[in-house]
Amino acid sequence: MNLRISLRYVLFAGVLFACLRVYSQSAECLSRSTVITVVGRRDKDGASPIASLSPENLRAKVGGKSVSIGSVTRSSKPLRVSVVLDVGSGQSEATWNATRLIIHNVQPRFSEGTEFSLVAFDDRVEQSVPLQRGLHSLDEFVNALSLSKTKESKTGLYEGLAAGIRTLGTPQPGDALFLVTAWEDAGKSDAQTTTVEWLSAAGVRLFGISFDSSRLPGPPPSPGAFVSKTSFAPIEAVAQMSGGLWMRASGYPAWGDLLFASAIADSYTVGLKLAQPLVKAGEMKIELVKGGKIGLKPNLSISDVVLSYPQALYPCR
């Protein structure tokens, strides 16, 4: 008799524990976060066009349904940036020199505590350097690189991005990949979809500069220009979907290092409160509330500011 009662208590406790665990996981899946990047007109020092943001300044939708914003926190931790470089035979001497100049000039644009890692690829990952702290910490590694005789490939490109994510270790808000390439993939692929999901799950944004003009409808922009996610190549869509930015240039973009360093550093973590857990990916939209009291810098309007953010929110794991 006592044994039967004990078994009932054990079974009841097991069911109760399972229910509490499911409830806890469900509650965690209702509170989500994402990183937004502030893009806009900046002064010569690259200062943000926005002095501050609060939940009242933003509105968000996931899967077409409005969600409440619980918090907006400016990135304060030292940044971690994984630099992914194309060393394939598609690089000319001119674009390779521009690539090295970009990396040399972009590092000092970040704060002193920023950490950098490095991945080099052609049709596979050729070199990977773990996180290094210091404003010229990558120069020695980049200067030691030489161009490969092997052509870049879609496999190499996406393996390089995956390796870049791995060098960052445990994800933290504000993490970014910075890709410089002379080649772009053509056509959709499983690797593209997988990379978008990896970036989203890790909260890592992709920023990139391309010298590839093969898929342009006309002459390459000079010195560079932003393009929409559907304009030219799938890798641009990956950058846009991750909440990053993409630029195409015909040579060294004189203002590119300042622009990218400022955008990578100028990020906020936004806390979202969902009404119910996601069972599939939902399209996400975040926008500034017009007419709200946004801390804009003098002589700027809300039209001078654009927010870049992940275009989808995935179910929690």
Side-chain angles (χ1 to χ4, degrees):
M1 181 70 175
N2 291 336
L3 181 59
R4 289 181 180 177
I5 293 175
S6 298
L7 285 174
R8 286 178 182 175
Y9 276 119
V10 170
L11 289 172
F12 175 76
V15 172
L16 180 61
F17 176 77
C19 291
L20 289 173
R21 184 176 181 183
V22 170
Y23 174 79
S24 175
Q25 290 175 337
S26 177
E28 289 177 1
C29 291
L30 294 178
S31 298
R32 305 291 301 277
S33 65
T34 191
V35 174
I36 62 173
T37 302
V38 176
V39 185
R41 195 156 60 98
R42 300 168 184 268
D43 59 28
K44 62 182 180 181
D45 296 321
S48 173
I50 293 180
S52 62
L53 277 178
S54 67
E56 294 74 27
N57 300 143
L58 301 171
R59 60 169 157 253
K61 288 185 177 182
V62 176
K65 298 180 179 180
S66 297
V67 297
S68 60
I69 296 176
S71 62
V72 179
T73 308
R74 193 167 208 151
S75 178
S76 58
K77 290 185 178 180
L79 286 170
R80 303 187 308 170
V81 181
S82 180
V83 176
V84 182
L85 297 185
D86 170 2
V87 295
S89 61
Q91 288 267 31
S92 66
E93 182 179 355
T95 59
W96 178 238
N97 288 337
T99 297
R100 292 192 295 180
L101 189 58
I102 288 169
I103 302 308
H104 175 77
N105 288 342
V106 79
Q107 294 173 83
R109 299 288 192 181
F110 290 94
S111 60
E112 186 67 37
T114 302
E115 292 182 281
F116 300 94
S117 63
L118 175 70
V119 172
F121 74 92
D122 45 29
D123 69 339
R124 63 180 182 176
V125 174
E126 293 291 350
Q127 184 170 349
S128 180
V129 177
L131 287 168
Q132 314 278 319
R133 181 165 298 190
L135 297 184
H136 281 295
S137 58
L138 294 184
D139 282 354
E140 178 182 350
F141 299 102
V142 174
N143 290 337
L145 289 174
S146 57
L147 290 179
S148 168
K149 294 182 179 179
T150 303
K151 178 70 177 173
E152 306 88 333
S153 70
K154 182 180 296 184
T155 299
L157 171 62
Y158 286 108
E159 284 184 357
L161 294 178
I165 296 173
R166 289 194 296 271
T167 64
L168 296 173
T170 303
Q172 66 183 38
D175 284 352
L177 299 183
F178 183 46
L179 168 67
V180 185
T181 181
W183 180 87
E184 296 174 5
D185 61 316
K188 295 182 178 180
S189 66
D190 291 339
Q192 178 193 358
T193 303
T194 301
T195 302
V196 170
E197 292 180 358
W198 283 351
L199 290 168
S200 176
V204 178
R205 301 160 295 155
L206 171 62
F207 297 78
I209 296 178
S210 170
F211 301 115
D212 184 359
S213 61
S214 63
R215 272 171 277 282
L216 281 169
S222 180
F226 290 118
V227 294
S228 71
K229 65 183 180 183
T230 57
S231 293
F232 300 107
I235 188 62
E236 299 172 26
V238 175
Q240 295 283 346
M241 290 291 289
S242 74
L245 298 171
W246 190 261
M247 176 198 291
R248 183 175 281 101
S250 56
Y252 174 71
W255 43 270
D257 47 71
L258 172 60
L259 176 67
F260 275 96
S262 300
I264 291 172
D266 198 3
S267 65
Y268 292 78
T269 299
V270 178
L272 304 174
K273 296 182 178 180
L274 306 182
Q276 56 189 28
L278 293 174
V279 294
K280 63 179 182 179
E283 181 182 3
M284 184 160 60
K285 292 185 178 181
I286 301 176
E287 59 185 354
L288 292 167
V289 177
K290 294 182 179 179
K293 295 182 179 179
I294 300 173
L296 289 171
K297 294 293 181 67
N299 302 319
L300 293 180
S301 67
I302 197 170
S303 61
D304 293 314
V305 181
V306 176
L307 300 181
S308 181
Y309 53 86
Q311 302 295 295
L313 189 64
Y314 291 82
C316 64
R317 298 176 180 178

